[in-house]
Amino acid sequence: MITAIVFVKADVARIPEVAEQIAALDGVSEVYSVTGQIDLIALVRVRDHDEVASVVADTLNKVPGVTSTETHIAFRAYSRHDLESAFSLGLD
């Protein structure tokens, strides 16, 4: 499973509609509206890199109101559970 984190800049007047359209795309698991330099963060979870390209370049980028994207591929996931285990002293 490949996870891509996609930073999305969108037409400010259309952010809610853009977020809903992105969230409805196959391969998109979550969309968050955020503060800062970008407007939305979309999490794309697919089987291979070709699917990342298909979701982001062929579909997400073409959603009306999307002005630009920046895609980051995750190579390792850390959950709170994993971090607690890694830093545990074994004093249970």
Side-chain angles (χ1 to χ4, degrees), residues 10-24 31-33 39-40 63-65:
D11 177 357
V12 176
R14 302 179 71 184
I15 290 173
E17 296 82 10
V18 170
E20 288 176 12
Q21 288 183 333
I22 292 172
V31 178
Y32 298 93
S33 59
D39 302 304
L40 302 167
V63 169

PDB file of all heavy atoms in Angstrom, residues 10-24 31-33 39-40 63-65:
ATOM      1  N   ALA A  10      -6.447  25.745  -3.589  1.00  0.00           N
ATOM      2  CA  ALA A  10      -7.730  25.804  -4.286  1.00  0.00           C
ATOM      3  C   ALA A  10      -8.256  27.225  -4.307  1.00  0.00           C
ATOM      4  O   ALA A  10      -7.843  28.073  -3.506  1.00  0.00           O
ATOM      5  CB  ALA A  10      -8.740  24.892  -3.594  1.00  0.00           C
ATOM      6  N   ASP A  11      -9.176  27.462  -5.228  1.00  0.00           N
ATOM      7  CA  ASP A  11      -9.901  28.724  -5.278  1.00  0.00           C
ATOM      8  C   ASP A  11     -10.610  28.889  -3.933  1.00  0.00           C
ATOM      9  O   ASP A  11     -11.424  28.051  -3.547  1.00  0.00           O
ATOM     10  CB  ASP A  11     -10.904  28.668  -6.427  1.00  0.00           C
ATOM     11  CG  ASP A  11     -11.768  29.899  -6.549  1.00  0.00           C
ATOM     12  OD1 ASP A  11     -11.652  30.819  -5.707  1.00  0.00           O
ATOM     13  OD2 ASP A  11     -12.575  29.942  -7.483  1.00  0.00           O
ATOM     14  N   VAL A  12     -10.283  29.943  -3.204  1.00  0.00           N
ATOM     15  CA  VAL A  12     -10.781  30.139  -1.840  1.00  0.00           C
ATOM     16  C   VAL A  12     -12.307  30.096  -1.763  1.00  0.00           C
ATOM     17  O   VAL A  12     -12.865  29.541  -0.817  1.00  0.00           O
ATOM     18  CB  VAL A  12     -10.245  31.473  -1.255  1.00  0.00           C
ATOM     19  CG1 VAL A  12     -10.829  31.751   0.110  1.00  0.00           C
ATOM     20  CG2 VAL A  12      -8.726  31.447  -1.186  1.00  0.00           C
ATOM     21  N   ALA A  13     -12.976  30.604  -2.751  1.00  0.00           N
ATOM     22  CA  ALA A  13     -14.439  30.627  -2.734  1.00  0.00           C
ATOM     23  C   ALA A  13     -15.041  29.242  -2.938  1.00  0.00           C
ATOM     24  O   ALA A  13     -16.236  29.054  -2.704  1.00  0.00           O
ATOM     25  CB  ALA A  13     -14.953  31.584  -3.811  1.00  0.00           C
ATOM     26  N   ARG A  14     -14.220  28.277  -3.348  1.00  0.00           N
ATOM     27  CA  ARG A  14     -14.747  26.948  -3.672  1.00  0.00           C
ATOM     28  C   ARG A  14     -14.178  25.830  -2.815  1.00  0.00           C
ATOM     29  O   ARG A  14     -14.365  24.646  -3.121  1.00  0.00           O
ATOM     30  CB  ARG A  14     -14.460  26.643  -5.140  1.00  0.00           C
ATOM     31  CG  ARG A  14     -15.064  27.681  -6.084  1.00  0.00           C
ATOM     32  CD  ARG A  14     -14.764  27.385  -7.503  1.00  0.00           C
ATOM     33  NE  ARG A  14     -15.553  26.208  -7.905  1.00  0.00           N
ATOM     34  CZ  ARG A  14     -15.455  25.643  -9.092  1.00  0.00           C
ATOM     35  NH1 ARG A  14     -14.626  26.118  -9.982  1.00  0.00           N
ATOM     36  NH2 ARG A  14     -16.191  24.602  -9.394  1.00  0.00           N
ATOM     37  N   ILE A  15     -13.486  26.158  -1.731  1.00  0.00           N
ATOM     38  CA  ILE A  15     -12.806  25.136  -0.935  1.00  0.00           C
ATOM     39  C   ILE A  15     -13.741  24.005  -0.483  1.00  0.00           C
ATOM     40  O   ILE A  15     -13.404  22.829  -0.659  1.00  0.00           O
ATOM     41  CB  ILE A  15     -12.036  25.762   0.249  1.00  0.00           C
ATOM     42  CG1 ILE A  15     -10.831  26.537  -0.293  1.00  0.00           C
ATOM     43  CG2 ILE A  15     -11.592  24.696   1.253  1.00  0.00           C
ATOM     44  CD1 ILE A  15     -10.074  27.335   0.743  1.00  0.00           C
ATOM     45  N   PRO A  16     -14.914  24.289   0.081  1.00  0.00           N
ATOM     46  CA  PRO A  16     -15.764  23.162   0.516  1.00  0.00           C
ATOM     47  C   PRO A  16     -16.168  22.228  -0.629  1.00  0.00           C
ATOM     48  O   PRO A  16     -16.125  20.996  -0.478  1.00  0.00           O
ATOM     49  CB  PRO A  16     -16.990  23.849   1.122  1.00  0.00           C
ATOM     50  CG  PRO A  16     -16.515  25.207   1.504  1.00  0.00           C
ATOM     51  CD  PRO A  16     -15.481  25.571   0.467  1.00  0.00           C
ATOM     52  N   GLU A  17     -16.524  22.800  -1.773  1.00  0.00           N
ATOM     53  CA  GLU A  17     -16.921  21.983  -2.920  1.00  0.00           C
ATOM     54  C   GLU A  17     -15.735  21.191  -3.468  1.00  0.00           C
ATOM     55  O   GLU A  17     -15.880  20.017  -3.845  1.00  0.00           O
ATOM     56  CB  GLU A  17     -17.513  22.849  -4.040  1.00  0.00           C
ATOM     57  CG  GLU A  17     -18.803  23.561  -3.676  1.00  0.00           C
ATOM     58  CD  GLU A  17     -18.596  24.861  -2.895  1.00  0.00           C
ATOM     59  OE1 GLU A  17     -17.452  25.331  -2.773  1.00  0.00           O
ATOM     60  OE2 GLU A  17     -19.599  25.393  -2.398  1.00  0.00           O
ATOM     61  N   VAL A  18     -14.574  21.817  -3.518  1.00  0.00           N
ATOM     62  CA  VAL A  18     -13.369  21.144  -3.996  1.00  0.00           C
ATOM     63  C   VAL A  18     -13.043  19.973  -3.066  1.00  0.00           C
ATOM     64  O   VAL A  18     -12.756  18.856  -3.522  1.00  0.00           O
ATOM     65  CB  VAL A  18     -12.179  22.132  -4.096  1.00  0.00           C
ATOM     66  CG1 VAL A  18     -10.873  21.385  -4.362  1.00  0.00           C
ATOM     67  CG2 VAL A  18     -12.436  23.172  -5.180  1.00  0.00           C
ATOM     68  N   ALA A  19     -13.104  20.202  -1.766  1.00  0.00           N
ATOM     69  CA  ALA A  19     -12.806  19.146  -0.792  1.00  0.00           C
ATOM     70  C   ALA A  19     -13.765  17.972  -0.954  1.00  0.00           C
ATOM     71  O   ALA A  19     -13.337  16.806  -0.930  1.00  0.00           O
ATOM     72  CB  ALA A  19     -12.886  19.705   0.628  1.00  0.00           C
ATOM     73  N   GLU A  20     -15.041  18.242  -1.140  1.00  0.00           N
ATOM     74  CA  GLU A  20     -16.023  17.167  -1.305  1.00  0.00           C
ATOM     75  C   GLU A  20     -15.775  16.379  -2.577  1.00  0.00           C
ATOM     76  O   GLU A  20     -15.879  15.147  -2.584  1.00  0.00           O
ATOM     77  CB  GLU A  20     -17.434  17.745  -1.304  1.00  0.00           C
ATOM     78  CG  GLU A  20     -17.878  18.220   0.074  1.00  0.00           C
ATOM     79  CD  GLU A  20     -19.257  18.877   0.061  1.00  0.00           C
ATOM     80  OE1 GLU A  20     -19.975  18.781  -0.946  1.00  0.00           O
ATOM     81  OE2 GLU A  20     -19.601  19.497   1.081  1.00  0.00           O
ATOM     82  N   GLN A  21     -15.444  17.071  -3.658  1.00  0.00           N
ATOM     83  CA  GLN A  21     -15.167  16.374  -4.924  1.00  0.00           C
ATOM     84  C   GLN A  21     -13.908  15.516  -4.815  1.00  0.00           C
ATOM     85  O   GLN A  21     -13.876  14.390  -5.316  1.00  0.00           O
ATOM     86  CB  GLN A  21     -15.033  17.368  -6.071  1.00  0.00           C
ATOM     87  CG  GLN A  21     -16.349  17.978  -6.482  1.00  0.00           C
ATOM     88  CD  GLN A  21     -16.195  18.907  -7.678  1.00  0.00           C
ATOM     89  OE1 GLN A  21     -15.129  19.479  -7.901  1.00  0.00           O
ATOM     90  NE2 GLN A  21     -17.256  19.054  -8.442  1.00  0.00           N
ATOM     91  N   ILE A  22     -12.878  16.030  -4.152  1.00  0.00           N
ATOM     92  CA  ILE A  22     -11.647  15.254  -3.976  1.00  0.00           C
ATOM     93  C   ILE A  22     -11.922  14.043  -3.097  1.00  0.00           C
ATOM     94  O   ILE A  22     -11.478  12.932  -3.378  1.00  0.00           O
ATOM     95  CB  ILE A  22     -10.512  16.129  -3.404  1.00  0.00           C
ATOM     96  CG1 ILE A  22     -10.077  17.170  -4.439  1.00  0.00           C
ATOM     97  CG2 ILE A  22      -9.326  15.264  -2.980  1.00  0.00           C
ATOM     98  CD1 ILE A  22      -9.110  18.208  -3.909  1.00  0.00           C
ATOM     99  N   ALA A  23     -12.669  14.224  -2.015  1.00  0.00           N
ATOM    100  CA  ALA A  23     -12.969  13.124  -1.098  1.00  0.00           C
ATOM    101  C   ALA A  23     -13.740  11.999  -1.786  1.00  0.00           C
ATOM    102  O   ALA A  23     -13.643  10.833  -1.380  1.00  0.00           O
ATOM    103  CB  ALA A  23     -13.751  13.642   0.102  1.00  0.00           C
ATOM    104  N   ALA A  24     -14.477  12.318  -2.831  1.00  0.00           N
ATOM    105  CA  ALA A  24     -15.271  11.315  -3.546  1.00  0.00           C
ATOM    106  C   ALA A  24     -14.457  10.516  -4.569  1.00  0.00           C
ATOM    107  O   ALA A  24     -14.959   9.529  -5.117  1.00  0.00           O
ATOM    108  CB  ALA A  24     -16.446  12.001  -4.247  1.00  0.00           C
ATOM    109  N   VAL A  31      -9.704  13.892   3.329  1.00  0.00           N
ATOM    110  CA  VAL A  31      -9.363  15.255   2.916  1.00  0.00           C
ATOM    111  C   VAL A  31      -9.562  16.153   4.121  1.00  0.00           C
ATOM    112  O   VAL A  31     -10.587  16.076   4.800  1.00  0.00           O
ATOM    113  CB  VAL A  31     -10.241  15.747   1.746  1.00  0.00           C
ATOM    114  CG1 VAL A  31      -9.896  17.187   1.374  1.00  0.00           C
ATOM    115  CG2 VAL A  31     -10.097  14.835   0.530  1.00  0.00           C
ATOM    116  N   TYR A  32      -8.579  17.001   4.389  1.00  0.00           N
ATOM    117  CA  TYR A  32      -8.633  17.934   5.511  1.00  0.00           C
ATOM    118  C   TYR A  32      -8.489  19.357   5.005  1.00  0.00           C
ATOM    119  O   TYR A  32      -7.641  19.627   4.154  1.00  0.00           O
ATOM    120  CB  TYR A  32      -7.483  17.672   6.497  1.00  0.00           C
ATOM    121  CG  TYR A  32      -7.524  16.305   7.120  1.00  0.00           C
ATOM    122  CD1 TYR A  32      -6.826  15.239   6.561  1.00  0.00           C
ATOM    123  CD2 TYR A  32      -8.279  16.069   8.268  1.00  0.00           C
ATOM    124  CE1 TYR A  32      -6.865  13.976   7.124  1.00  0.00           C
ATOM    125  CE2 TYR A  32      -8.327  14.812   8.843  1.00  0.00           C
ATOM    126  CZ  TYR A  32      -7.614  13.778   8.276  1.00  0.00           C
ATOM    127  OH  TYR A  32      -7.666  12.520   8.836  1.00  0.00           O
ATOM    128  N   SER A  33      -9.295  20.271   5.547  1.00  0.00           N
ATOM    129  CA  SER A  33      -9.040  21.688   5.307  1.00  0.00           C
ATOM    130  C   SER A  33      -8.062  22.121   6.393  1.00  0.00           C
ATOM    131  O   SER A  33      -8.170  21.685   7.547  1.00  0.00           O
ATOM    132  CB  SER A  33     -10.326  22.509   5.355  1.00  0.00           C
ATOM    133  OG  SER A  33     -10.949  22.379   6.618  1.00  0.00           O
ATOM    134  N   ASP A  39      -4.530  24.915   1.220  1.00  0.00           N
ATOM    135  CA  ASP A  39      -5.932  24.931   1.626  1.00  0.00           C
ATOM    136  C   ASP A  39      -6.446  23.577   2.084  1.00  0.00           C
ATOM    137  O   ASP A  39      -7.268  23.495   3.003  1.00  0.00           O
ATOM    138  CB  ASP A  39      -6.795  25.438   0.464  1.00  0.00           C
ATOM    139  CG  ASP A  39      -6.373  26.815   0.022  1.00  0.00           C
ATOM    140  OD1 ASP A  39      -6.347  27.726   0.867  1.00  0.00           O
ATOM    141  OD2 ASP A  39      -6.046  26.986  -1.175  1.00  0.00           O
ATOM    142  N   LEU A  40      -5.981  22.512   1.434  1.00  0.00           N
ATOM    143  CA  LEU A  40      -6.453  21.161   1.725  1.00  0.00           C
ATOM    144  C   LEU A  40      -5.291  20.189   1.738  1.00  0.00           C
ATOM    145  O   LEU A  40      -4.288  20.387   1.036  1.00  0.00           O
ATOM    146  CB  LEU A  40      -7.446  20.700   0.651  1.00  0.00           C
ATOM    147  CG  LEU A  40      -8.690  21.549   0.438  1.00  0.00           C
ATOM    148  CD1 LEU A  40      -9.386  21.147  -0.856  1.00  0.00           C
ATOM    149  CD2 LEU A  40      -9.634  21.409   1.627  1.00  0.00           C
ATOM    150  N   VAL A  63      -9.899  18.530 -10.860  1.00  0.00           N
ATOM    151  CA  VAL A  63     -11.104  18.944 -10.138  1.00  0.00           C
ATOM    152  C   VAL A  63     -11.235  20.460 -10.279  1.00  0.00           C
ATOM    153  O   VAL A  63     -10.274  21.194  -9.998  1.00  0.00           O
ATOM    154  CB  VAL A  63     -11.034  18.536  -8.648  1.00  0.00           C
ATOM    155  CG1 VAL A  63     -12.139  19.194  -7.836  1.00  0.00           C
ATOM    156  CG2 VAL A  63     -11.098  17.019  -8.510  1.00  0.00           C
ATOM    157  N   PRO A  64     -12.396  20.952 -10.721  1.00  0.00           N
ATOM    158  CA  PRO A  64     -12.574  22.406 -10.856  1.00  0.00           C
ATOM    159  C   PRO A  64     -12.341  23.112  -9.519  1.00  0.00           C
ATOM    160  O   PRO A  64     -12.861  22.694  -8.484  1.00  0.00           O
ATOM    161  CB  PRO A  64     -14.033  22.540 -11.296  1.00  0.00           C
ATOM    162  CG  PRO A  64     -14.370  21.231 -11.927  1.00  0.00           C
ATOM    163  CD  PRO A  64     -13.581  20.201 -11.156  1.00  0.00           C
ATOM    164  N   GLY A  65     -11.504  24.133  -9.557  1.00  0.00           N
ATOM    165  CA  GLY A  65     -11.182  24.890  -8.353  1.00  0.00           C
ATOM    166  C   GLY A  65      -9.811  24.570  -7.784  1.00  0.00           C
ATOM    167  O   GLY A  65      -9.281  25.316  -6.972  1.00  0.00           O
TER     168      GLY A  65
END
